Amino acid sequence: MNAAPSPAPSAPRPSRWRLQRPSPRGQRWLAVLVFLLAAVLILIALWDWNWFKGPVERAVQARTGRALHIGHLDVDLGRTSTIRADAITFANASWSKQATMANADRVEIDVRVWPLLRGSIQLPEVRLTRPDVLLEAAPRKGEAGNWDFLPASDGKSALQLKGLRIDDGRLQYLDALGRTDIRVGVRSGEPTTTAHKRADTAPPLLVKGQGRWQGNPFTLSGGTESPLQLTDSAHPFRIHLDGRAGSTHAVATGTLTNPFALQVFDLQFALSGQDLADLYPLLGIAIPPSPPYALDGRLKRDHNVWRYEGFTGKVGDSDLGGNLQFEVGRDRPRLTATLESRRLDFDDLAGFVGAPPKTGGGETANAEQKAQAAQVAASPRVLPDTPYNLGKLRAMDADVRWKAHRINAPSLPLDDMDAHLLLDDGVLRLDPLNFGVAGGDIRSTIRMDARQPQIATALKASVRGVQLGQLFPDAKLAEQAKGGISGQIDLSGRGNSIAAMLGGSSGDVGVAMGRGHVGNLVMELAGLDITESLKFLFTGDRQIPLRCAFADFGVRDGLMTSRALAVDTTDTIIIGEGTVSLRDERMDLLLKPRPKDKSILVLRSPLRIGGTFKDPSFRPDFKALGLRGAVALALGSIAPPAALLATIETGPGKDANCGGQYAK
């Protein structure tokens, strides 16, 4: 029996992990891909990116209307690619005398590639080496500066700039019309906080330079946060700048919106200096001279409107706060302000009348004012003769309210102040200018028309309820006087200083006092009653009822001539006459006392008030006094008691007429 044949061995089954040999066709495609990749890499490695200079330059010129020139162009490809350009120049506006607006040794721009596919341009960082940029205002008022070269946008930008680094940059701002030329160096600083040290946060920019602002030399230093979107008008640009122009010092901290346009500010602004008048050539704000000052507040700008809000500080020895608005872009800029002082040192207002503040111990004044005060002290005159600046009075309009709740004036019993200043086309009005004085008030209005070569001034003032006792700084003397003083002043004149205005003024001056009382010591001293004066000086004083007192002067060409002058008490009546020259600052008044009682040892004689405003003299009429003494001596040679008879007054004086307008 034959055995069955064994089955043939089966072919081995192919493993699922074994690679299959590519087909001849696949091998050809793979070779092509490898070749293309190698070619691309070789092309990139050997490609001259300068081929793109022409298209880029033409695109920029079509977009901006300005020529762009690139010396050398190179690109490092990657997920974040770097575009590198050397020797770049960008043309200036056609009206400028300088052909180039900006140039740089090198510009490097990092660009994220994948966001480009979504239409988003993300620039992690831009690096500038030795950039030099000129920002220049147009030569004609109202036209845009050279930085305005891009078409208007809708505010939505696909460009995102994350950081800016500058190495040894220079920036110049030129405004020929405004006589301004600012040149500063700009460079990137080191981050100062942990938050700033993040890789995606740009370092601050540091600036330092100098130049001229409105023709005045100044220096500038400080820093800014690096802008994330320089041309985005909605993006804030933070700054901290410290500037000095002469003695004026300003520190600004805050944000600018669209720093290229310089039209919107929001800054904490500290301002200090030796004289507020120094702001006129810098800012065009006409302010009278002042003592040294220091103010701090919020400075905001919205195009043509500047605001200094909630500022506080000191001017001289006075505190000052409030809100101020300055509007430009008009025929004349306009200042609007509301000011308040809790304590006003009265001599700090001296600049309003062309005089320096006090310079004694504890007083604040600058070096120039101290020199001026020394000249005033050496001068024989009192009225300020410093002329007003007509250009300032015509340079702007103003509407300013100023209230002072308490006034420090050691030589004057002033309480408070309420002033409203209006300036319109060269015509200044103080309406009102009110002071609280010795329990009463002085209410006045002043109009100064500076439209002509000589200022025409009109002053109207009324005095109401000023208490006689409070006029004396000495408490003992104040106890000896009581009564209310009232009056009217109506003067007009021409001149460019206070001295000239009053020296040529005409009008009326009248002052009166109704019923009250005065110390007998004061009256007897005025009449040189030796017995009564010595008695009341050492043993006390009694009060004498005052029926009335009045002084009425007519004024013509600066000469005040008395029309009626009298002080009437139950004890004595004093009748006066004479003149006061506002032009020469001299007085010539004669007071004639007439007692209403009988007193021994009385050597009464007319009292003459003369001399100058600065050095007045009070002296009796020695001729009459000497005659009376001679009679006494003659009688005394006969019988001593008879000598006393020559000094006895019979009281011939009569009551003064207290009726009419002074009886109220």
Side-chain angles (χ1 to χ4, degrees):
M1 180 176 186
N2 294 331
S6 59
S10 60
R13 306 175 73 178
S15 171
R16 60 183 297 185
W17 305 107
R18 184 175 297 171
L19 293 174
Q20 295 183 356
R21 183 182 296 273
S23 65
R25 184 178 180 182
Q27 291 178 350
R28 288 193 299 270
W29 278 110
L30 180 59
V32 171
L33 290 175
V34 171
F35 174 78
L36 291 176
L37 179 59
V40 169
L41 293 176
I42 293 173
L43 182 62
I44 292 174
L46 300 178
W47 178 261
D48 185 0
W49 292 96
N50 287 301
W51 184 87
F52 288 103
K53 289 196 310 181
V56 171
E57 291 171 347
R58 289 190 292 272
V60 169
Q61 184 159 11
R63 175 75 171 171
T64 66
R66 309 273 187 89
L68 173 70
H69 176 73
I70 303 174
H72 180 74
L73 184 64
D74 194 11
V75 177
D76 292 337
L77 294 177
R79 294 182 60 183
T80 299
S81 298
T82 299
I83 302 173
R84 187 178 300 107
D86 295 332
I88 287 184
T89 61
F90 183 64
N92 207 347
S94 59
W95 45 259
S96 176
K97 296 180 180 179
Q98 301 190 37
T100 301
M101 175 183 174
N103 62 76
D105 288 358
R106 170 168 289 188
V107 176
E108 295 182 351
I109 305 174
D110 293 342
V111 183
R112 288 178 178 159
V113 175
W114 296 115
L116 291 174
L117 301 177
R118 302 191 302 269
S120 174
I121 305 174
Q122 297 184 12
L123 309 181
E125 188 173 77
V126 172
R127 295 175 293 279
L128 306 176
T129 302
R130 296 183 62 82
D132 192 341
V133 178
L134 169 64
L135 301 179
E136 186 176 5
R140 287 178 291 275
K141 196 172 182 179
E143 295 185 0
N146 70 339
W147 56 82
D148 188 13
F149 53 80
L150 291 175
S153 65
D154 57 4
K156 299 178 180 179
S157 174
L159 174 64
Q160 299 180 29
L161 174 61
K162 296 297 183 182
L164 176 65
R165 291 182 181 272
I166 298 178
D167 179 21
D168 192 19
R170 292 175 295 276
L171 175 66
Q172 180 183 7
Y173 176 75
L174 184 61
D175 181 0
L177 285 178
R179 298 179 300 128
T180 297
D181 187 354
I182 304 173
R183 300 169 186 262
V184 297
V186 184
R187 64 180 179 85
S188 293
E190 295 298 327
T192 57
T193 65
T194 302
H196 284 156
K197 293 180 181 179
R198 298 195 309 265
D200 61 346
T201 303
L205 296 180
L206 305 181
V207 299
K208 185 175 183 179
Q210 59 188 1
R212 289 185 174 272
W213 177 271
Q214 300 288 336
N216 299 274
F218 80 102
T219 60
L220 179 69
S221 64
T224 73
E225 286 188 358
S226 182
L228 301 182
Q229 294 176 332
L230 289 177
T231 58
D232 186 352
S233 62
H235 189 82
F237 179 72
R238 297 193 60 81
I239 68 169
H240 175 80
L241 298 175
D242 188 311
R244 294 181 181 271
S247 63
T248 303
H249 181 206
V251 178
T253 303
T255 61
L256 305 181
T257 302
N258 193 347
F260 285 135
L262 300 175
Q263 293 293 306
V264 181
F265 296 163
D266 185 1
L267 308 169
Q268 190 67 29
F269 192 72
L271 185 66
S272 60
Q274 294 297 303
D275 192 339
L276 282 168
D278 293 340
L279 297 179
Y280 178 64
L282 295 173
L283 304 177
I285 303 178
I287 302 177
S290 78
Y293 66 94
L295 305 172
D296 192 3
R298 201 73 185 171
L299 178 65
K300 299 181 179 180
R301 181 183 183 185
D302 187 358
H303 296 85
N304 287 335
V305 179
W306 299 65
R307 293 184 177 89
Y308 198 29
E309 298 180 348
F311 69 85
T312 58
K314 295 192 69 176
V315 178
D317 299 306
S318 308
D319 67 86
L320 182 66
N323 297 286
L324 180 150
Q325 176 177 301
F326 192 60
E327 184 177 356
V328 297
R330 305 158 44 103
D331 291 340
R332 295 179 305 278
R334 180 177 177 82
L335 173 70
T336 305
T338 302
L339 309 177
E340 185 175 12
S341 295
R342 295 184 299 274
R343 178 187 180 277
L344 174 64
D345 206 63
F346 187 67
D347 67 280
D348 291 335
L349 297 177
F352 283 85
V353 295
K358 291 183 178 179
T359 58
E363 298 287 348
T364 302
N366 60 45
E368 183 178 350
Q369 290 163 347
K370 291 179 180 179
Q372 185 182 0
Q375 293 177 354
V376 170
S379 171
R381 303 182 69 88
V382 173
L383 297 177
D385 58 0
T386 302
Y388 286 98
N389 187 322
L390 297 180
K392 283 187 176 182
L393 291 173
R394 301 166 182 169
M396 72 176 197
D397 297 337
D399 185 346
V400 179
R401 295 298 303 258
W402 190 357
K403 290 189 176 182
H405 298 285
R406 185 166 65 91
I407 297 180
N408 178 44
S411 60
L412 298 171
L414 298 176
D415 301 322
D416 53 27
M417 181 189 76
D418 182 9
H420 186 192
L421 182 148
L422 297 165
L423 180 60
D424 183 14
D425 194 16
V427 178
L428 183 147
R429 289 185 296 134
L430 285 165
D431 187 8
L433 175 60
N434 296 341
F435 290 96
V437 182
D441 59 63
I442 298 178
R443 299 179 178 273
S444 60
T445 61
I446 300 173
R447 185 179 187 273
M448 299 173 61
D449 188 344
R451 292 174 295 184
Q452 302 298 323
Q454 281 198 326
I455 301 174
T457 302
L459 163 66
K460 294 182 181 294
S462 64
V463 182
R464 292 290 181 268
V466 174
Q467 298 304 306
L468 179 63
Q470 296 183 32
L471 291 175
F472 296 99
D474 184 274
K476 183 177 180 180
L477 290 177
E479 293 175 357
Q480 300 176 358
K482 183 178 181 180
I485 300 174
S486 299
Q488 296 284 346
I489 300 174
D490 188 350
L491 294 175
S492 60
R494 288 183 175 273
N496 292 343
S497 69
I498 296 297
M501 293 173 186
L502 292 177
S505 62
S506 298
D508 302 284
V509 176
V511 182
M513 177 178 170
R515 294 185 181 276
H517 67 259
V518 295
N520 182 271
L521 173 61
V522 176
M523 298 303 297
E524 297 295 346
L525 285 175
L528 298 181
D529 188 329
I530 297 174
T531 301
E532 296 292 324
S533 297
L534 293 176
K535 181 182 71 173
F536 291 120
L537 181 62
F538 292 104
T539 64
D541 191 19
R542 63 185 176 86
Q543 300 296 325
I544 298 178
L546 180 69
R547 299 187 70 249
C548 73
F550 53 84
D552 184 18
F553 290 87
V555 185
R556 184 175 180 83
D557 295 331
L559 184 65
M560 299 174 57
T561 304
S562 64
R563 294 185 293 219
L565 177 59
V567 178
D568 184 19
T569 76
T570 57
D571 179 75
T572 303
I573 181 172
I574 298 177
I575 305 298
E577 62 181 8
T579 60
V580 177
S581 174
L582 299 176
R583 183 187 302 275
D584 300 327
E585 298 189 15
R586 301 193 66 87
M587 298 176 290
D588 185 13
L589 297 172
L590 186 64
L591 304 181
K592 304 173 183 178
R594 295 292 183 265
K596 296 181 179 180
D597 61 351
K598 295 182 179 181
S599 174
I600 62 173
L601 297 179
V602 174
L603 297 177
R604 295 183 182 272
S605 68
L607 181 67
R608 188 170 296 278
I609 302 176
T612 65
F613 291 179
K614 191 168 189 177
D615 186 21
S617 63
F618 301 85
R619 58 181 177 82
D621 188 326
F622 287 107
K623 182 177 180 180
L625 184 60
L627 176 62
R628 191 171 289 186
V631 173
L633 289 175
L635 293 176
S637 65
I638 301 173
L644 300 177
L645 297 177
T647 64
I648 296 177
E649 291 282 2
T650 58
K654 298 181 180 179
D655 290 343
N657 180 14
C658 295
Q661 60 177 315
Y662 301 109
K664 298 180 181 179

mmCIF file of all heavy atoms in Angstrom, residues 8-32:
data_model
loop_
_atom_site.group_PDB
_atom_site.id
_atom_site.type_symbol
_atom_site.label_atom_id
_atom_site.label_comp_id
_atom_site.label_asym_id
_atom_site.label_seq_id
_atom_site.Cartn_x
_atom_site.Cartn_y
_atom_site.Cartn_z
ATOM 1 N N ALA A 8 2.493 20.201 -0.355
ATOM 2 C CA ALA A 8 3.608 21.130 -0.679
ATOM 3 C C ALA A 8 3.635 22.297 0.308
ATOM 4 O O ALA A 8 2.590 22.785 0.740
ATOM 5 C CB ALA A 8 3.443 21.659 -2.088
ATOM 6 N N PRO A 9 4.775 22.727 0.697
ATOM 7 C CA PRO A 9 4.863 23.870 1.664
ATOM 8 C C PRO A 9 4.264 25.141 1.055
ATOM 9 O O PRO A 9 4.482 25.444 -0.098
ATOM 10 C CB PRO A 9 6.361 24.001 1.904
ATOM 11 C CG PRO A 9 7.024 23.349 0.724
ATOM 12 C CD PRO A 9 6.118 22.252 0.232
ATOM 13 N N SER A 10 3.461 25.836 1.868
ATOM 14 C CA SER A 10 2.810 27.084 1.386
ATOM 15 C C SER A 10 3.791 28.245 1.417
ATOM 16 O O SER A 10 4.735 28.278 2.211
ATOM 17 C CB SER A 10 1.599 27.429 2.252
ATOM 18 O OG SER A 10 2.001 27.609 3.595
ATOM 19 N N ALA A 11 3.559 29.270 0.538
ATOM 20 C CA ALA A 11 4.427 30.475 0.477
ATOM 21 C C ALA A 11 4.276 31.315 1.748
ATOM 22 O O ALA A 11 3.181 31.413 2.296
ATOM 23 C CB ALA A 11 4.062 31.310 -0.740
ATOM 24 N N PRO A 12 5.342 31.838 2.217
ATOM 25 C CA PRO A 12 5.257 32.652 3.460
ATOM 26 C C PRO A 12 4.350 33.887 3.260
ATOM 27 O O PRO A 12 4.390 34.544 2.227
ATOM 28 C CB PRO A 12 6.704 33.059 3.707
ATOM 29 C CG PRO A 12 7.393 32.971 2.385
ATOM 30 C CD PRO A 12 6.721 31.853 1.635
ATOM 31 N N ARG A 13 3.567 34.220 4.239
ATOM 32 C CA ARG A 13 2.633 35.369 4.198
ATOM 33 C C ARG A 13 3.395 36.682 4.466
ATOM 34 O O ARG A 13 4.223 36.751 5.361
ATOM 35 C CB ARG A 13 1.529 35.182 5.229
ATOM 36 C CG ARG A 13 0.812 33.836 5.051
ATOM 37 C CD ARG A 13 -0.187 33.599 6.143
ATOM 38 N NE ARG A 13 -1.346 34.449 5.966
ATOM 39 C CZ ARG A 13 -2.420 34.425 6.789
ATOM 40 N NH1 ARG A 13 -2.405 33.620 7.826
ATOM 41 N NH2 ARG A 13 -3.444 35.187 6.547
ATOM 42 N N PRO A 14 3.166 37.677 3.693
ATOM 43 C CA PRO A 14 3.913 38.944 3.884
ATOM 44 C C PRO A 14 3.585 39.594 5.227
ATOM 45 O O PRO A 14 2.435 39.582 5.655
ATOM 46 C CB PRO A 14 3.460 39.819 2.717
ATOM 47 C CG PRO A 14 2.127 39.284 2.326
ATOM 48 C CD PRO A 14 2.176 37.794 2.590
ATOM 49 N N SER A 15 4.600 40.170 5.870
ATOM 50 C CA SER A 15 4.394 40.848 7.163
ATOM 51 C C SER A 15 3.714 42.223 6.937
ATOM 52 O O SER A 15 4.012 42.923 5.970
ATOM 53 C CB SER A 15 5.754 41.082 7.851
ATOM 54 O OG SER A 15 5.577 41.905 8.973
ATOM 55 N N ARG A 16 2.834 42.619 7.810
ATOM 56 C CA ARG A 16 2.129 43.909 7.692
ATOM 57 C C ARG A 16 3.039 45.101 7.938
ATOM 58 O O ARG A 16 2.726 46.219 7.605
ATOM 59 C CB ARG A 16 0.966 43.975 8.680
ATOM 60 C CG ARG A 16 1.413 43.839 10.119
ATOM 61 C CD ARG A 16 0.235 43.837 11.061
ATOM 62 N NE ARG A 16 -0.466 45.116 10.969
ATOM 63 C CZ ARG A 16 -1.492 45.413 11.768
ATOM 64 N NH1 ARG A 16 -1.935 44.513 12.631
ATOM 65 N NH2 ARG A 16 -2.073 46.574 11.667
ATOM 66 N N TRP A 17 4.216 44.869 8.552
ATOM 67 C CA TRP A 17 5.150 45.966 8.859
ATOM 68 C C TRP A 17 6.220 46.151 7.797
ATOM 69 O O TRP A 17 7.021 47.046 7.877
ATOM 70 C CB TRP A 17 5.826 45.716 10.210
ATOM 71 C CG TRP A 17 4.830 45.518 11.321
ATOM 72 C CD1 TRP A 17 4.529 44.355 11.943
ATOM 73 C CD2 TRP A 17 4.019 46.532 11.880
ATOM 74 N NE1 TRP A 17 3.575 44.536 12.885
ATOM 75 C CE2 TRP A 17 3.218 45.914 12.877
ATOM 76 C CE3 TRP A 17 3.849 47.913 11.649
ATOM 77 C CZ2 TRP A 17 2.300 46.603 13.631
ATOM 78 C CZ3 TRP A 17 2.935 48.568 12.426
ATOM 79 C CH2 TRP A 17 2.173 47.937 13.405
ATOM 80 N N ARG A 18 6.252 45.284 6.802
ATOM 81 C CA ARG A 18 7.311 45.365 5.813
ATOM 82 C C ARG A 18 7.011 46.476 4.813
ATOM 83 O O ARG A 18 5.904 46.614 4.308
ATOM 84 C CB ARG A 18 7.425 44.033 5.087
ATOM 85 C CG ARG A 18 8.580 43.988 4.080
ATOM 86 C CD ARG A 18 8.704 42.597 3.507
ATOM 87 N NE ARG A 18 9.036 41.680 4.581
ATOM 88 C CZ ARG A 18 9.043 40.341 4.430
ATOM 89 N NH1 ARG A 18 8.734 39.804 3.271
ATOM 90 N NH2 ARG A 18 9.357 39.558 5.446
ATOM 91 N N LEU A 19 8.051 47.395 4.556
ATOM 92 C CA LEU A 19 7.889 48.500 3.603
ATOM 93 C C LEU A 19 7.889 47.967 2.195
ATOM 94 O O LEU A 19 8.695 47.094 1.850
ATOM 95 C CB LEU A 19 9.025 49.521 3.756
ATOM 96 C CG LEU A 19 9.059 50.309 5.078
ATOM 97 C CD1 LEU A 19 10.307 51.170 5.141
ATOM 98 C CD2 LEU A 19 7.801 51.145 5.224
ATOM 99 N N GLN A 20 6.962 48.541 1.451
ATOM 100 C CA GLN A 20 6.905 48.156 0.045
ATOM 101 C C GLN A 20 7.799 49.071 -0.775
ATOM 102 O O GLN A 20 7.899 50.269 -0.528
ATOM 103 C CB GLN A 20 5.463 48.267 -0.468
ATOM 104 C CG GLN A 20 4.525 47.276 0.206
ATOM 105 C CD GLN A 20 3.126 47.357 -0.382
ATOM 106 O OE1 GLN A 20 2.866 48.196 -1.220
ATOM 107 N NE2 GLN A 20 2.277 46.450 0.042
ATOM 108 N N ARG A 21 8.483 48.565 -1.687
ATOM 109 C CA ARG A 21 9.352 49.329 -2.571
ATOM 110 C C ARG A 21 8.485 50.236 -3.426
ATOM 111 O O ARG A 21 7.512 49.785 -4.018
ATOM 112 C CB ARG A 21 10.138 48.372 -3.458
ATOM 113 C CG ARG A 21 11.152 49.103 -4.391
ATOM 114 C CD ARG A 21 11.836 48.094 -5.260
ATOM 115 N NE ARG A 21 12.610 47.194 -4.453
ATOM 116 C CZ ARG A 21 13.866 47.416 -4.077
ATOM 117 N NH1 ARG A 21 14.465 48.540 -4.434
ATOM 118 N NH2 ARG A 21 14.512 46.540 -3.346
ATOM 119 N N PRO A 22 8.778 51.517 -3.466
ATOM 120 C CA PRO A 22 7.960 52.406 -4.298
ATOM 121 C C PRO A 22 8.064 52.017 -5.754
ATOM 122 O O PRO A 22 9.087 51.508 -6.201
ATOM 123 C CB PRO A 22 8.558 53.786 -4.033
ATOM 124 C CG PRO A 22 9.945 53.536 -3.557
ATOM 125 C CD PRO A 22 9.914 52.224 -2.835
ATOM 126 N N SER A 23 6.987 52.333 -6.377
ATOM 127 C CA SER A 23 6.947 52.037 -7.799
ATOM 128 C C SER A 23 7.878 52.977 -8.534
ATOM 129 O O SER A 23 8.250 54.046 -8.017
ATOM 130 C CB SER A 23 5.520 52.194 -8.331
ATOM 131 O OG SER A 23 5.121 53.547 -8.229
ATOM 132 N N PRO A 24 8.267 52.629 -9.685
ATOM 133 C CA PRO A 24 9.122 53.551 -10.459
ATOM 134 C C PRO A 24 8.509 54.927 -10.619
ATOM 135 O O PRO A 24 9.209 55.942 -10.580
ATOM 136 C CB PRO A 24 9.276 52.818 -11.787
ATOM 137 C CG PRO A 24 9.110 51.382 -11.440
ATOM 138 C CD PRO A 24 8.087 51.327 -10.361
ATOM 139 N N ARG A 25 7.174 54.977 -10.736
ATOM 140 C CA ARG A 25 6.533 56.297 -10.892
ATOM 141 C C ARG A 25 6.631 57.120 -9.609
ATOM 142 O O ARG A 25 6.908 58.321 -9.635
ATOM 143 C CB ARG A 25 5.073 56.095 -11.272
ATOM 144 C CG ARG A 25 4.340 57.398 -11.557
ATOM 145 C CD ARG A 25 2.917 57.107 -11.969
ATOM 146 N NE ARG A 25 2.205 58.338 -12.250
ATOM 147 C CZ ARG A 25 0.921 58.396 -12.599
ATOM 148 N NH1 ARG A 25 0.231 57.258 -12.701
ATOM 149 N NH2 ARG A 25 0.334 59.549 -12.857
ATOM 150 N N GLY A 26 6.430 56.441 -8.432
ATOM 151 C CA GLY A 26 6.541 57.146 -7.161
ATOM 152 C C GLY A 26 7.955 57.636 -6.915
ATOM 153 O O GLY A 26 8.176 58.689 -6.319
ATOM 154 N N GLN A 27 8.895 56.835 -7.347
ATOM 155 C CA GLN A 27 10.278 57.255 -7.168
ATOM 156 C C GLN A 27 10.571 58.544 -7.933
ATOM 157 O O GLN A 27 11.305 59.420 -7.465
ATOM 158 C CB GLN A 27 11.215 56.132 -7.634
ATOM 159 C CG GLN A 27 11.191 54.911 -6.732
ATOM 160 C CD GLN A 27 12.087 53.802 -7.244
ATOM 161 O OE1 GLN A 27 12.583 53.878 -8.381
ATOM 162 N NE2 GLN A 27 12.276 52.775 -6.432
ATOM 163 N N ARG A 28 9.988 58.687 -9.102
ATOM 164 C CA ARG A 28 10.232 59.896 -9.878
ATOM 165 C C ARG A 28 9.653 61.141 -9.178
ATOM 166 O O ARG A 28 10.280 62.189 -9.130
ATOM 167 C CB ARG A 28 9.626 59.735 -11.279
ATOM 168 C CG ARG A 28 10.424 58.737 -12.151
ATOM 169 C CD ARG A 28 10.001 58.856 -13.612
ATOM 170 N NE ARG A 28 8.592 58.552 -13.806
ATOM 171 C CZ ARG A 28 8.129 57.334 -14.067
ATOM 172 N NH1 ARG A 28 8.960 56.299 -14.145
ATOM 173 N NH2 ARG A 28 6.848 57.140 -14.266
ATOM 174 N N TRP A 29 8.402 61.035 -8.631
ATOM 175 C CA TRP A 29 7.789 62.181 -7.931
ATOM 176 C C TRP A 29 8.558 62.570 -6.676
ATOM 177 O O TRP A 29 8.722 63.748 -6.371
ATOM 178 C CB TRP A 29 6.339 61.869 -7.560
ATOM 179 C CG TRP A 29 5.383 62.084 -8.687
ATOM 180 C CD1 TRP A 29 4.711 61.154 -9.382
ATOM 181 C CD2 TRP A 29 5.019 63.344 -9.237
ATOM 182 N NE1 TRP A 29 3.934 61.718 -10.354
ATOM 183 C CE2 TRP A 29 4.112 63.100 -10.280
ATOM 184 C CE3 TRP A 29 5.383 64.668 -8.990
ATOM 185 C CZ2 TRP A 29 3.550 64.104 -11.048
ATOM 186 C CZ3 TRP A 29 4.807 65.659 -9.750
ATOM 187 C CH2 TRP A 29 3.909 65.384 -10.770
ATOM 188 N N LEU A 30 9.031 61.570 -5.954
ATOM 189 C CA LEU A 30 9.805 61.864 -4.757
ATOM 190 C C LEU A 30 11.072 62.618 -5.110
ATOM 191 O O LEU A 30 11.469 63.576 -4.439
ATOM 192 C CB LEU A 30 10.143 60.561 -4.025
ATOM 193 C CG LEU A 30 10.957 60.720 -2.728
ATOM 194 C CD1 LEU A 30 10.209 61.583 -1.722
ATOM 195 C CD2 LEU A 30 11.253 59.349 -2.139
ATOM 196 N N ALA A 31 11.675 62.206 -6.171
ATOM 197 C CA ALA A 31 12.899 62.885 -6.601
ATOM 198 C C ALA A 31 12.617 64.330 -6.979
ATOM 199 O O ALA A 31 13.398 65.246 -6.689
ATOM 200 C CB ALA A 31 13.520 62.127 -7.776
ATOM 201 N N VAL A 32 11.449 64.537 -7.632
ATOM 202 C CA VAL A 32 11.079 65.904 -8.012
ATOM 203 C C VAL A 32 10.870 66.779 -6.772
ATOM 204 O O VAL A 32 11.330 67.934 -6.698
ATOM 205 C CB VAL A 32 9.824 65.890 -8.898
ATOM 206 C CG1 VAL A 32 9.316 67.325 -9.102
ATOM 207 C CG2 VAL A 32 10.126 65.249 -10.239
#
